[in-house]
Amino acid sequence: MDFFPVFLNLKNRKVLVVGGGDVACRKVDLLLRAGADITIISPQLHPHLSRLAADQRLTYIKQKYDPSCVIGFHQIWATTDAPELNHQVFSDAENEGIWTNVVDDPRHCHFITPSMIDRTPIQVAISSGGASPVLVRFIREKLETQLPQNLSLLAEFSGKQRERIKQHFKTVDERRKFWERFFRLPTVEQASNIASLEQAFTLLLSKPEAQTSHLYLIETGLDPEMLTLKALRVMQQSDVVLYPEGSNDIFVDLCRRDADREPYIPETLQNQVHALLNEGLRVCVLAPKATHPETLTSLCQEIKGLFIPCI
């Protein structure tokens, strides 16, 4: 991991932008959306930035950069077209312990900005660490087509139900399972207003959840891209993931992040699965293709679990 992914709260934080050209315009627009307190230092200023300064949306200091300029700021952006000056800004800020970004120069960055999909308050960030911006843009375009436009509406509604849902479900696990059912409702996926969400929410609260223990047997094969959409969905719904001892690999990583993970050996798998199902858990067993087929097939038939073969 070259860069640790993190979302920063920049509301009212003092941010310095060195440079006043086209690149600065793009960064300033994003920083304004994040609520930063922006100061620009540059001998010249782009007309767009001049208008922002005239509207008092940022502070403009018309001067050349010198090392004292970095004092008192929480974050610094070097956006000039002079690499030597940008590197000096980075060095001066680093001496003061200030996080700095030299645009288009990852080697001189304490942080970088990803490509973003903004469905505020839902945000998705994608980065290649500066290695392939075009590939990142391609990935973002694909994700844009997959993510529903009503994510902001869903996030706003669900955020306001936190206390209400606690009155119905006492444990975190119960609440999580309710929200999983709610977000998968077709009426919720297509909702365009709060009234539609409220109707679906109220109706679902009135329906007690049936026993949720399930066995999912996922045949993994060698290529994770060969997993079906159904396999990926149930892997994300599982409470416990069982994987072959010594094979904690990419297929385990594709399962729900907060699911419990336990290794298994075929000889004791049946008892292990029975114990977990008796606790009312959803159990996902990852099985490499053609590994111990008799044991796994008989287990699935006995418990009437869902078998999803590798394509």
Side-chain angles (χ1 to χ4, degrees), residues 24-34 38 48-49 52:
C25 288
R26 297 195 297 272
K27 300 307 177 185
V28 165
D29 284 343
L30 286 173
L31 291 167
L32 284 173
R33 288 168 61 183
I38 304 169
H48 173 63
L49 299 176
L52 293 174

Side-chain angles (χ1 to χ4, degrees), residues 77-256:
W77 296 75
T79 70
T80 78
D81 56 5
E84 298 83 1
L85 176 56
N86 288 339
H87 295 167
Q88 182 187 347
V89 173
F90 177 82
S91 178
D92 295 339
E94 189 168 47
N95 290 336
E96 297 295 328
I98 305 171
W99 282 17
T100 304
N101 177 286
V102 176
V103 175
D104 295 330
D105 188 355
R107 292 176 302 172
H108 292 85
C109 289
H110 297 111
F111 65 94
I112 57 175
T113 53
S115 181
M116 290 175 280
I117 300 172
D118 190 1
R119 304 278 201 277
T120 302
I122 302 296
Q123 293 174 289
V124 180
I126 312 147
S127 174
S128 67
S132 182
V134 175
L135 176 59
V136 168
R137 191 179 310 122
F138 174 71
I139 295 171
R140 180 180 61 80
E141 290 171 357
K142 290 187 70 174
L143 288 175
E144 282 278 14
T145 65
Q146 298 295 318
L147 296 175
Q149 291 297 320
N150 69 348
L151 279 180
S152 295
L153 182 70
L154 297 181
E156 177 189 358
F157 177 81
S158 58
K160 293 179 179 178
Q161 310 307 318
R162 295 173 65 90
E163 293 304 319
R164 184 178 171 190
I165 203 73
K166 288 179 181 178
Q167 297 175 9
H168 288 81
F169 303 106
K170 301 304 179 185
T171 69
V172 173
D173 188 61
E174 289 174 326
R175 294 193 286 271
R176 174 178 57 78
K177 290 178 179 178
F178 171 84
W179 284 120
E180 288 177 352
R181 294 163 63 207
F182 177 77
F183 289 128
R184 288 188 175 90
L185 292 173
T187 53
V188 169
E189 292 179 352
Q190 300 167 16
S192 59
N193 54 65
I194 293 293
S196 298
L197 293 176
E198 174 61 32
Q199 183 178 14
F201 184 86
T202 303
L203 182 61
L204 191 60
L205 278 180
S206 67
K207 295 180 178 179
E209 186 178 15
Q211 175 67 17
T212 58
S213 63
H214 291 288
L215 171 63
Y216 307 125
L217 176 58
I218 311 294
E219 191 176 51
T220 57
L222 298 175
D223 185 355
E225 292 189 3
M226 298 301 288
L227 290 171
T228 65
L229 292 175
K230 189 172 189 177
L232 289 169
R233 187 178 74 249
V234 299
M235 288 163 72
Q236 285 295 315
Q237 294 175 10
S238 301
D239 302 308
V240 181
V241 179
L242 302 181
Y243 60 91
E245 195 167 52
S247 300
N248 191 351
D249 55 17
I250 180 61
F251 294 100
V252 179
D253 292 337
L254 289 173
C255 296
R256 210 180 88 225

